[in-house]
């Protein structure tokens, strides 16, 4: 299918972009999207604002939890099928465009039964997978189903499809029945076994040294003058932060709260460059963070000044691939090494051990924001960026587990990077 995006309003008005053969087109201001909007002009557009997805031969617009919303013909939508002349606007009064495309799904012919439809190969595959998923649930219970059961199951899934398609799909299901029954017997005698579908992904192959070099001047020691020692002239380092905007650092919520309660002045000292220090002028902690519990431990610190070295936050699709066994690199300031005169961060490697929600249970993508890792860390490394093998930040280091008052080596955790999104919106960033 060839798809053409024609811009009607905004900085791109009067231009167009043609895409051929792609089923997913990403839109946003962040570099790496298929269509990148202007960083300064299109301010209503989020970093990854929306997707255009080809579903059954038709274009659909899908909002990716953007700050300012996605509108089709003036109505805010989460997802909508795009018809000819529909106008899409990213954010209220933001840039607008229309989508035209060729190669739509084949419409029913006159000799087909009423309501029948010819489906493409991708749709057939989805139907087969849905039916197999339901059949697998039954097999996992140790039950045995006949061929007639699978036929009835698929008949329900494709009740609107043509009789010819039904025969094709049912024949495909029957081909898996023998395997399914074998799995059912196995699960019956091994009920404690859980099977999860995994996907082989490429997490990048950059060496740790390259990642450290590329982000050396984007990492900062957070230091301050203790309220308990008002006459102290030297600064005391207590956390790590990293630059995500020219005047904004990401860190932990507990670092923000500590800065407010324990220090009269707070500064950000650039890694490897002690002469570059920036006063912190505004701070914000995640509203759901709670001291003493595992909760969204992320925060922001706005500085006075302009930075040129920024980290790259992993896009949502990449965050969805974070899984046990993935290499992770931390870059921060261990407590004993927090020296004002020589702010030199420590770079260390570990692995993701578990990805769960804050109850430490496996949830869906939206709730699996707790990243357990094995990289060694101490108090001062709170707020350190967690890089994946592509050199992108997947999380913010937050703390470690304890048992009987003792820290458990290799059992530390961080917060997934997209927990920063609501804070950025509250501080006026997109």
């Amino acid at each position: 299918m060839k798809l053409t995006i024609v811009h009607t309003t905004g900085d791109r008005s009067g231009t167009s972009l043609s895409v051929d053969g792609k089923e997913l087109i990403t839109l946003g201001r962040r570099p790496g999207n298929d269509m990148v909007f202007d960083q300064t002009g299109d301010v209503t557009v989020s970093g990854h604002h929306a997707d255009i997805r080809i579903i059954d031969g038709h274009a659909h617009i899908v909002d990716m939890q953007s700050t300012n919303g996605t509108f089709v013909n003036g109505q805010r939508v989460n997802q909508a099928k795009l018809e000819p002349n529909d106008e899409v606007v990213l954010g209220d009064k933001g840039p607008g465009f229309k989508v035209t495309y060729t190669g739509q799904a084949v419409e029913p012919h006159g000799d087909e039964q009423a309501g029948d439809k010819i489906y493409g190969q991708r749709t057939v595959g989805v139907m087969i997978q849905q039916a197999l998923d339901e059949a697998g649930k039954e097999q996992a219970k140790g039950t045995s189903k006949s061929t007639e059961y699978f036929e009835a199951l698929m008949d329900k899934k494709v009740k609107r499809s043509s009789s010819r398609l039904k025969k094709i799909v049912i024949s495909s299901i029957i081909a898996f029945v023998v395997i399914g029954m074998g799995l059912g017997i196995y699960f019956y005698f091994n009920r404690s076994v859980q099977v999860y579908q995994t996907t082989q992904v490429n997490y990048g192959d950059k060496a740790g040294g390259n990642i450290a070099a590329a982000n050396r001047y984007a990492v900062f020691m957070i230091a301050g003058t203790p309220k308990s020692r008002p006459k102290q002239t030297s600064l005391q380092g207590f956390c790590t932060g990293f630059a995500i905007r020219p005047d904004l650092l990401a860190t932990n919520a507990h670092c923000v709260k500590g800065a407010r309660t324990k220090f009269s002045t707070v500064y950000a000292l650039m890694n490897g460059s002690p002469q570059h220090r920036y006063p912190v002028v505004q701070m914000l902690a995640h509203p759901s963070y709670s001291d003493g519990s595992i909760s969204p431990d992320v925060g922001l610190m706005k500085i006075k000044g302009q930075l040129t070295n920024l980290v790259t936050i992993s896009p949502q699709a990449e965050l969805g691939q974070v899984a046990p066994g993935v290499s992770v690199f931390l870059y921060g300031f261990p407590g004993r090494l927090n020296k004002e005169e020589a702010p030199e961060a420590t770079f260390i490697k570990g692995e993701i051990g578990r990805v769960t929600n804050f109850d430490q249970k496996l949830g869906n993508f939206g709730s699996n924001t707790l990243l357990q890792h094995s990289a060694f860390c101490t108090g001062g490394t709170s707020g350190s960026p967690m890089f994946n093998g592509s050199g992108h930040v997947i999380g913010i280091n937050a703390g470690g587990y304890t048992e009987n008052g003792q820290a458990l080596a290799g059992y530390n955790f961080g917060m997934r990077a997209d927990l920063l999104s609501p804070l950025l919106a509250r501080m006026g960033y997109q």
Side-chain angles (χ1 to χ4, degrees), residues 29 131 155 179 211:
R29 291 199 300 162
D155 211 42
I179 297 174
I211 297 172

Side-chain angles (χ1 to χ4, degrees), residues 27 48-53 55 59-82 88-90 316:
L27 314 174
H48 181 194
H49 194 106
D51 290 342
I52 297 176
R53 301 179 185 177
I55 303 174
H60 293 243
I61 186 74
V62 181
D63 184 83
M64 300 304 293
Q65 299 181 339
S66 64
T67 301
N68 297 305
T70 300
F71 299 79
V72 176
N73 299 329
Q75 298 295 318
R76 186 165 183 166
V77 300
N78 292 323
Q79 179 172 342
K81 178 181 176 181
L82 297 179
V88 181
V89 176
L90 304 184
Q316 191 174 43

Side-chain angles (χ1 to χ4, degrees), residues 53 84 142 164 196 229 320 335 369 402 413 425:
R53 301 179 185 177
R164 180 162 64 91
Y196 298 95
R229 301 176 183 176
T369 53
T402 60
F413 59 85

Side-chain angles (χ1 to χ4, degrees), residues 196-255:
Y196 298 95
Q197 183 177 3
T198 59
T199 303
Q200 184 67 36
V201 292
N202 180 10
Y203 296 101
D205 56 2
K206 288 187 177 180
N210 293 336
I211 297 172
N215 294 278
R216 175 172 173 77
Y217 299 113
V219 178
F220 292 78
M221 183 176 79
I222 307 301
T225 303
K227 291 181 179 180
S228 60
R229 301 176 183 176
K231 295 183 180 181
Q232 180 174 316
T233 57
S234 62
L235 298 176
Q236 177 181 320
F238 60 94
C239 274
T240 300
F242 55 96
I244 58 175
R245 296 289 191 276
D247 61 348
L248 194 67
L249 306 182
T251 187
N252 289 141
H254 76 259
C255 293

